[in-house]
Amino acid sequence: MTALEFAVVVWGLSALAGFLGALTGLGGGVVVVPALTLALGVDIKYAIGASLVSVIATSSGAAAAYVREGFSNIRIGMFLEIATTVGAIVGAYLAGHVSTHALAIVFGLVLVHAAYSSLAKGEDGAHIVQSDTLGKKLRLGSDYPVDGRREEYGVRNVGTGFGLMFGAGALSGLLGIGSGAVKVIAMDRAMEIPFKVSTTTSNFMIGVTAAASAGVYLSRGYIDPRVAMPVMLGVLLGALLGTKVLVRAQVKTLRLVFGVVIFALAVEMIVNGILGKV
Amino acid sequence: MDDRRLENIIGQLLRSGVLLSAGIVTLGGILYLARFHAAPASFRSFAAGGADIRTVQGILRSAAQFRAEGLMQVGLVLLILTPVARVVLAVVGFALERDRLYTVVSLLVLAILAFSLLHAR
């Protein structure tokens, strides 16, 4: 394969990654890592570096639109980001001491369940408008656009959500992937935040979490511009297209896409765990 | 300054940061492909590149000499910095809103981010 062919193929696959990543709040890593390693035989270290670039590109590429349209909730994002970033640091320290094989398999099974319930759930019901005591104190409730109107929502179970976010960060520090999945699930399920707000706020957060580990990857040489260049440009294009679709899409459709992508991530995790590749 | 304005400004900043970095990466990418398009591309085994793609100084030096890899890497580093800029802007925005709680929250995130970036090995 010549350098030009490689760049074009990676660019195309990355556009798909960015599109799905922006729609689901998961970032592009779910697609980029297997596409590079399995389909193109790229060494996992280059793939990890490219995956980090893809997560930041999805996040920053889509966040501009999501923040401007008033989907992402910056207060929720910032508040929960404390837990995620501390979790990521703890996870990175634990990395040498924990069996990541077993962890990957357990996490994979959890994701299978999350995929199943996301597929089963369908349309958002009526939102909870009242925040609970802590949600009110932290002024986390807000409103977001639904069919041209702004609909209010409250936020609950902030403690549980904060704890899950710590876990999300630790997992990303340990396994290098998957923090977006836990973020969306924590906001959607535990904190009862509307689905579109959950995915777009996750999208806002994953870039910050990823940036925290970027220094390590850069100095180790994992971020190689020959691989990362087509990844970044493809992901950005895909993410921009994704934002256009999310704004109009039915929640039911978004949950379907989310469920399928989460399921793929689960399979990826379990297989990697069994083969000892994590 | 209210939340909507803060959101607008953060949205604008993100957009310009992303466009700028994408522009630089595209320029570097064109130079790279113009020269190496027919060369075989294999990334099967990992070999860490030199300082010119791994350290900030090296990257800047390489880009200043208008070398393709340096330019692409400058653009990529700029992209990596956009989420950091997002947090900095949130600190400033919440401070202007006189929202003490969220100014502290964003500062905390910024501090943690700085800690983990500076402890990179």
Side-chain angles (χ1 to χ4, degrees):
Chain A
M1 191 176 258
T2 68
L4 181 63
E5 285 163 355
F6 179 83
V8 170
V9 172
V10 171
W11 181 82
L13 289 169
S14 301
L16 175 70
F19 180 74
L20 290 175
L23 271 189
T24 54
L26 299 173
V30 191
V31 177
V32 164
V33 173
L36 286 177
T37 55
L38 299 179
L40 295 167
V42 171
D43 186 275
I44 184 74
K45 292 191 171 112
Y46 290 125
I48 290 175
S51 165
L52 182 98
V53 167
S54 82
V55 170
I56 298 180
T58 315
S59 176
S60 289
Y66 290 160
V67 170
R68 212 178 40 234
E69 306 261 347
F71 283 102
S72 326
N73 185 319
I74 298 179
R75 282 172 211 269
I76 296 179
M78 279 296 161
F79 178 70
L80 296 177
E81 199 57 56
I82 296 175
T84 328
T85 42
V86 172
I89 293 173
V90 172
Y93 275 109
L94 285 178
H97 310 282
V98 178
S99 162
T100 47
H101 312 315
L103 190 67
I105 295 171
V106 173
F107 181 46
L109 293 174
V110 172
L111 287 180
V112 170
H113 174 74
Y116 170 76
S117 53
S118 178
L119 293 176
K121 193 162 177 206
E123 208 60 36
D124 268 2
H127 300 309
I128 294 158
V129 176
Q130 286 292 325
S131 295
D132 62 9
T133 322
L134 195 52
K136 249 185 215 146
K137 231 179 213 158
L138 292 167
R139 287 175 280 130
L140 293 175
S142 180
D143 53 65
Y144 78 113
V146 180
D147 303 327
R149 297 172 294 107
R150 299 203 63 93
E151 201 164 285
E152 290 195 11
Y153 60 88
V155 175
R156 293 173 172 243
N157 306 321
V158 178
T160 314
F162 197 79
L164 284 170
M165 287 298 164
F166 178 83
L171 271 177
S172 75
L174 279 166
L175 301 175
I177 193 170
S179 82
V182 185
K183 283 179 176 127
V184 175
I185 294 165
M187 283 187 271
D188 176 40
R189 286 303 148 86
M191 302 173 75
E192 302 179 47
I193 298 168
F195 193 63
K196 281 190 185 179
V197 178
S198 298
T199 55
T200 54
T201 303
S202 166
N203 179 77
F204 182 84
M205 295 172 67
I206 51 175
V208 180
T209 316
S213 41
V216 183
Y217 289 175
L218 192 70
S219 66
R220 286 182 188 163
Y222 290 11
I223 300 175
D224 189 304
R226 296 169 300 167
V227 182
M229 174 269 289
V231 168
M232 173 189 163
L233 296 177
V235 165
L236 278 180
L237 178 75
L240 289 180
L241 292 176
T243 60
K244 302 254 183 283
V245 172
L246 178 129
V247 171
R248 283 163 222 285
Q250 299 281 316
V251 170
K252 197 175 168 183
T253 319
L254 291 176
R255 279 194 192 277
L256 181 72
V257 176
F258 180 80
V260 171
V261 176
I262 285 280
F263 184 73
L265 178 63
V267 172
E268 203 177 319
M269 278 284 143
I270 294 170
V271 169
N272 282 345
I274 292 171
L275 296 179
K277 275 208 243 165
V278 176
Chain B
M1 167 94 67
D2 57 14
D3 269 19
R4 290 300 305 164
R5 266 201 67 201
L6 175 61
E7 282 166 2
N8 269 320
I9 293 174
I10 291 188
Q12 283 300 335
L13 175 100
L14 278 177
R15 204 185 175 68
S16 0
V18 168
L19 284 178
L20 178 68
S21 63
I24 298 174
V25 170
T26 306
L27 179 65
I30 291 171
L31 288 178
Y32 164 69
L33 287 176
R35 193 157 162 212
F36 295 107
H37 62 93
S42 173
F43 301 97
R44 254 170 221 292
S45 48
F46 177 75
D52 56 342
I53 65 161
R54 281 170 38 203
T55 67
V56 173
Q57 274 180 328
I59 294 168
L60 288 177
R61 197 179 318 125
S62 166
Q65 293 164 355
F66 223 67
R67 299 226 315 260
E69 295 208 338
L71 281 174
M72 291 193 282
Q73 201 73 331
V74 163
L76 288 162
V77 169
L78 268 181
L79 178 80
I80 290 169
L81 289 177
T82 51
V84 184
R86 203 181 310 173
V87 180
V88 172
L89 213 73
V91 172
V92 176
F94 283 126
L96 289 176
E97 279 187 37
R98 302 192 186 284
D99 186 333
R100 203 173 292 168
L101 175 63
Y102 280 92
T103 308
V104 173
V105 165
S106 326
L107 270 175
L108 207 55
V109 174
L110 191 62
I112 300 166
L113 206 53
F115 171 85
S116 61
L117 276 173
L118 294 177
H119 280 70
R121 260 157 293 131

